[in-house]
Amino acid sequence: MSKKALVIGMEAELCTWIYEQLAGKRNDNEALQELLEGLKGLKEMEYGSLILSRDEQDTLHEGMEEKIQSGALMIDKVNRSVSYGQDLIQLTPKEFDILCLLASNKGKIYSKEQIYSNVWKEAYTYDDSNIMAHIRKLRKKIEPDPTHPIFILTIWGVGYKFINPVHLP
């Protein structure tokens, strides 16, 4: 079995901060629980080091879709790439993050506030035009006809959602 190990040096304060950020969240991921136990051991000086390893099974990504396909549109989350058919589509990091958020949650409607807080990872500052501009640019890049979108739909007065189109181009 091929394994890759990652060793990260960190100060005790950073270890404590990471532990506190993760410990407060409900999670059922076994790998995350193992990471929490390791951070706790470092924090309490039971361990001198913590080695993170990854193999082909990669339990840290368990349950997480690495690729999302919708018709000819392919989103590769691991390599942060998007293609439509054989054409590679160049997205900005924020456009990619918005697309991943919506595509990973097909059918779920996200308000502009939810998109902002999920992608920018900070409190929403009323700036609807920013989100609308990103969606407009994203549609120009991924939609066969941006004036009649088939992937990212606007739910007027609510937000946006990603769907699998019924009639694929």
Side-chain angles (χ1 to χ4, degrees):
M1 180 184 312
S2 152
K3 286 199 174 200
K4 295 181 182 177
L6 175 64
V7 179
I8 304 170
M10 70 174 78
E11 301 292 324
E13 295 84 21
L14 179 58
C15 179
T16 301
W17 182 83
I18 293 171
Y19 177 81
E20 289 171 354
Q21 296 300 308
L22 296 174
K25 303 202 183 305
R26 181 186 170 270
N27 62 69
D28 301 324
N29 185 314
E30 187 178 318
L32 190 53
Q33 287 299 328
E34 191 175 338
L35 175 61
L36 279 169
E37 289 174 25
L39 288 170
K40 183 178 179 186
L42 282 175
K43 194 172 82 119
E44 296 174 357
M45 296 166 67
E46 291 176 20
Y47 308 135
S49 64
L50 181 62
I51 298 175
L52 304 177
S53 66
R54 177 182 170 167
D55 60 25
E56 285 78 14
Q57 308 306 310
D58 198 359
T59 56
L60 287 173
H61 294 291
E62 204 171 277
M64 185 175 110
E65 258 183 304
E66 291 182 357
K67 290 185 181 181
I68 301 170
Q69 183 154 11
S70 184
L73 185 68
M74 173 64 78
I75 304 163
D76 184 338
K77 293 166 112 176
V78 174
N79 295 309
R80 294 187 61 88
S81 65
V82 176
S83 59
Y84 191 89
Q86 298 299 318
D87 299 325
L88 189 62
I89 300 171
Q90 298 297 320
L91 299 180
T92 66
K94 292 299 182 203
E95 289 169 347
F96 183 84
D97 291 343
I98 291 169
L99 181 60
C100 272
L101 172 68
L102 296 174
S104 295
N105 299 284
K106 288 182 182 112
K108 180 177 178 186
I109 302 170
Y110 280 87
S111 69
K112 293 171 191 161
E113 296 162 342
Q114 290 171 316
I115 293 171
Y116 189 90
S117 62
N118 276 284
V119 172
W120 276 262
K121 305 285 188 216
E122 57 187 51
Y124 179 72
T125 54
Y126 184 77
D127 187 9
D128 286 350
S129 61
N130 186 24
I131 301 297
M132 289 168 35
H134 277 83
I135 296 288
R136 186 173 49 253
K137 290 175 186 173
L138 189 52
R139 282 180 173 153
K140 283 182 181 179
K141 294 177 180 181
I142 69 163
E143 298 282 359
D145 179 2
T147 59
H148 297 94
I150 60 171
F151 296 112
I152 300 175
L153 301 184
T154 300
I155 308 303
W156 293 106
V158 183
Y160 301 95
K161 73 176 178 177
F162 187 95
I163 64 164
N164 276 329
V166 176
H167 301 288
L168 297 173

